[in-house]
Amino acid sequence: MMYAMLAGSLAIIYLLPKLTTAVPSSLVAIIVMTVIAVVFHADVRTVGDMGGITSSLPHFLIPDVPLTFETLRIIFPYSLALALVGLLESLLTAQIIDEMTDTDSDKNKESRGQGIANIVTGFFGGMAGCAMIGQSVINTKAGGRGRLSAFVAGAFLMFLIAVLSHIVVKIPMAALVAVMIMVSIGTFDWSSIKGLRKAPLTDSIVMVITVVTVVLTNDLSKGVFAGVLLSAVFFTAKISKLTIVSHSEHKNVRAYKVTGQIFFASVTELTNAIVYHDDVERIVIDLTDAHVWDASGAAALEKIVAKCKDQGIEAELKGLNQKSQNIMKQMA
């Protein structure tokens, strides 16, 4: 019976739009399956089987917890994970909706609104929330384009809970599963699979590792952390490549043209590129197209200068931009 209702729900969701789009097909599927389940007393799991729904509205309450660092230590890891996953899903949802509607949203405003709302909802016993890809996609495909559509969705949900909770508990889970299957199929970027061969290898590895981590751990935050960490490693490796070209300016002068980012991951390549010959009296390192980012980069340049001095060679660093000079001064 469960599989039959699931198949029927999917049939309504995908076939009804070919006849009319006046009413959201997912809503029709839920109503039809609920009526069938009630009339024929179908032995299927319903929303009510998943937990009770209270029809009373929440009250303003201040959480009765000790406001100490011990409490912060306990809740901080969970808060960080929720904030990370919630912010990521909201930004991803905004990007998907922007592409569907060919519009541009203010991501900073969305993030601020989500943060303020999550702080306020805690005083009413609510859970932290974020933008939902599934609900947003359904809303957009049903024709919603402005703030009113989101408000109506929230207001109608409150009406269902406060007034029609005795009906909501009778909705079969098969209908809701069908809706989520439709959302999953609709939001998945199928072209990304075909693009695995064309995309940079590092991007494909990050995507696959993120998906595998989420599936194996059943934890989106761990998948996000793995993906971000791997992306950072690949990005560091990518920008750590320096282009160093050397040439002789005069008989006893050798110049080095350095292009790229000088930081902890690229200092070894820089120091190894400098060749100290007995017949060289002066070395000029042109850093016009380079940038020193951290103390390791500054220390590497100082090491080169010191080694030149030990070899009796005059060393000159030219073309340092202002920020790089500031870092060098701080290390001096």
Side-chain angles (χ1 to χ4, degrees), residues 8 22 57 108 138 146 153 160 162 213 229 234 248 287:
L57 296 176
N108 290 329
I138 293 174
L160 289 176
T213 303
L229 183 62
F234 287 145
S248 297
L287 301 169

Side-chain angles (χ1 to χ4, degrees), residues 89-102 105 107 133-134 136-137 140 186-189:
E89 183 167 3
S90 293
L91 295 177
L92 179 60
T93 301
Q95 181 179 349
I96 292 175
I97 300 304
D98 287 349
E99 293 176 357
M100 292 178 63
T101 59
D102 194 22
S105 59
K107 308 300 189 298
I133 296 177
S136 300
V137 170
T140 304
T187 57
F188 190 87
D189 187 6

